[in-house]
Amino acid sequence: MAKPVSVNRMLKLMGNRFEFTVIAEHEQEGNVAIDAAIDEVRRIEYLLTTFSDLSQTSLINEHAGLSPVKVDEEVINLLERSIRISEITDGAFDITYGSIDKRLWNFDQNMTSLPDEATALKSVGLIDYRNVVLNRDKSTVFLKSKGMRIGFGGIGKGYAADRAKLVLQKLGIKSGIVNAAGDLITWGTQASGHPWTVGIADPEQTNRPFSALKISDMAIATSGSYEKFVTINGKRYSHTIDPKTGLPVSGVKSVSIICPSAELADALATPVVVMGVKIGLELINQIKQVACIVIDDNDRVFTSNNINVI
């Protein structure tokens, strides 16, 4: 019997770097399966992107405050799950985050001060997931206020990774990894039979891990300020904006969520950054099959109750 081979492909999808690794009986089988997974991610990108006027997301945004838009059941389902995440995170995750006035934020060396609280609050005035009206019977979405925008940036890559995994499994791939720009999902084992492992980046030296986790049959997503931030008056501010205040968050450098679904891991990572160490971990500890590692601005490591980092 031939020894299984590892087939790998890396390319840009959904504006990000995607990497597919599959364990197959031979290279041709692996490449055919990866082609199908790429087609699935491209299908989802076409559905969800805000960079095309023809996508269902763009049509919803274009008709904000005017009329409901008929969409695929898949979009309704994803919006329903997004709204549930918004509810459990008390709005720290918000699918209408696209409504933010981006003119306030550049997060480069020219940014030397924060806007005043009133200006910041005004910039997020249209963000409110409760103003998304879903009609399942008619399969429509309506944004109540003109200027409102939804965007799937906080959940779409994870959703695409989960869908790509399902496509690969249906084609007989029993082991693999789909890595959607750091939001990744694994199943099975490496060709050697060893479990898949992933390194958690050291926030100060992102090219080296501070910890490694065995994550076969699990997903992991990491969010944080270690790649994009500004320091103002000695305080570090993440590029993540709190949807409630319009101000950048501080206190957390990195959050990694580990759970069975890449979509859920993707959706929970950023809100835990917004909520902060204490409240964020309290939330994760209430959700079954979800674990969390948080690194604060002082490089202290905190974990949820169901995980141990050595």
Side-chain angles (χ1 to χ4, degrees):
M1 192 172 156
K3 193 178 174 186
V5 295
S6 177
V7 184
N8 179 273
R9 186 106 50 93
M10 195 185 296
L11 71 163
K12 193 172 183 181
L13 295 164
M14 301 178 83
N16 290 277
R17 191 179 79 168
F18 271 65
E19 186 173 5
F20 301 86
T21 304
V22 299
I23 308 302
E25 287 184 16
H26 47 78
E27 198 162 325
Q28 187 186 358
E29 180 196 41
N31 278 315
V32 167
I34 289 173
D35 285 342
I38 289 168
D39 286 345
E40 175 69 353
V41 174
R42 285 192 172 129
R43 182 190 70 78
I44 291 164
E45 179 175 14
Y46 181 72
L47 200 63
L48 303 183
T49 183
T50 53
F51 294 103
S52 162
D53 293 340
L54 302 174
S55 77
Q56 293 190 12
T57 307
S58 292
L59 290 172
I60 293 166
N61 292 339
E62 192 184 316
H63 290 83
L66 299 172
S67 61
V69 173
K70 193 169 177 61
V71 297
D72 293 357
E73 186 183 10
E74 183 177 9
V75 174
I76 292 275
N77 291 340
L78 186 55
L79 278 167
E80 275 189 345
R81 295 196 299 274
S82 298
I83 288 167
R84 275 207 296 276
I85 299 286
S86 298
E87 287 167 351
I88 67 168
T89 61
D90 194 25
F93 173 94
D94 197 310
I95 198 70
T96 64
Y97 190 79
S99 313
I100 192 169
D101 185 345
K102 293 187 177 71
R103 288 172 299 182
L104 280 183
W105 308 112
N106 49 20
F107 287 96
D108 60 17
Q109 64 273 20
N110 299 321
M111 188 173 161
T112 55
S113 64
L114 298 179
D116 63 79
E117 287 182 18
T119 305
L121 197 59
K122 193 178 174 187
S123 78
V124 293
L126 288 170
I127 298 178
D128 192 341
Y129 67 91
R130 291 164 297 194
N131 288 333
V132 179
V133 181
L134 304 180
N135 186 322
R136 183 164 275 288
D137 293 335
K138 293 182 179 176
S139 198
T140 61
V141 182
F142 176 56
L143 306 182
K144 285 184 182 178
S145 305
K146 207 166 181 182
M148 268 184 82
R149 290 175 61 81
I150 59 165
F152 291 96
I155 197 170
K157 294 198 309 295
Y159 174 62
D162 282 344
R163 291 290 313 167
K165 172 199 161 186
L166 285 176
V167 166
L168 291 165
Q169 286 181 318
K170 281 179 183 171
L171 291 170
I173 301 298
K174 294 183 174 63
S175 300
I177 296 183
V178 179
N179 184 349
D183 300 341
L184 60 88
I185 188 157
T186 73
W187 69 104
T189 59
Q190 299 180 55
S192 63
H194 292 110
W196 298 108
T197 59
V198 67
I200 305 289
D202 182 328
E204 293 305 310
Q205 296 172 275
T206 51
N207 61 339
R208 75 177 184 90
F210 86 89
S211 176
L213 295 170
K214 291 178 182 176
I215 58 152
S216 286
D217 302 306
M218 293 296 272
I220 184 166
T222 299
S223 181
S225 65
Y226 51 90
E227 287 176 333
K228 196 173 183 185
F229 62 92
V230 290
T231 304
I232 297 170
N233 297 330
K235 191 171 182 179
R236 176 185 178 123
Y237 293 95
S238 163
H239 70 284
T240 302
I241 305 296
D242 184 335
K244 286 184 176 172
T245 64
L247 291 166
V249 299
S250 61
V252 172
K253 272 186 188 172
S254 165
V255 169
S256 295
I257 302 283
I258 304 106
C259 66
S261 154
E263 177 191 309
L264 184 59
D266 188 10
L268 286 174
T270 300
V272 172
V273 173
V274 173
M275 295 164 92
V277 177
K278 186 174 183 291
I279 296 170
L281 285 176
E282 282 173 2
L283 169 69
I284 298 303
N285 284 330
Q286 293 174 52
I287 308 174
K288 287 179 180 174
Q289 291 188 297
V290 178
C292 180
I293 301 168
V294 184
I295 303 170
D296 74 2
D297 280 348
N298 298 313
D299 294 327
R300 291 177 301 183
V301 178
F302 301 85
T303 65
S304 55
N305 293 339
N306 53 354
I307 191 171
N308 290 310
V309 177
I310 299 166

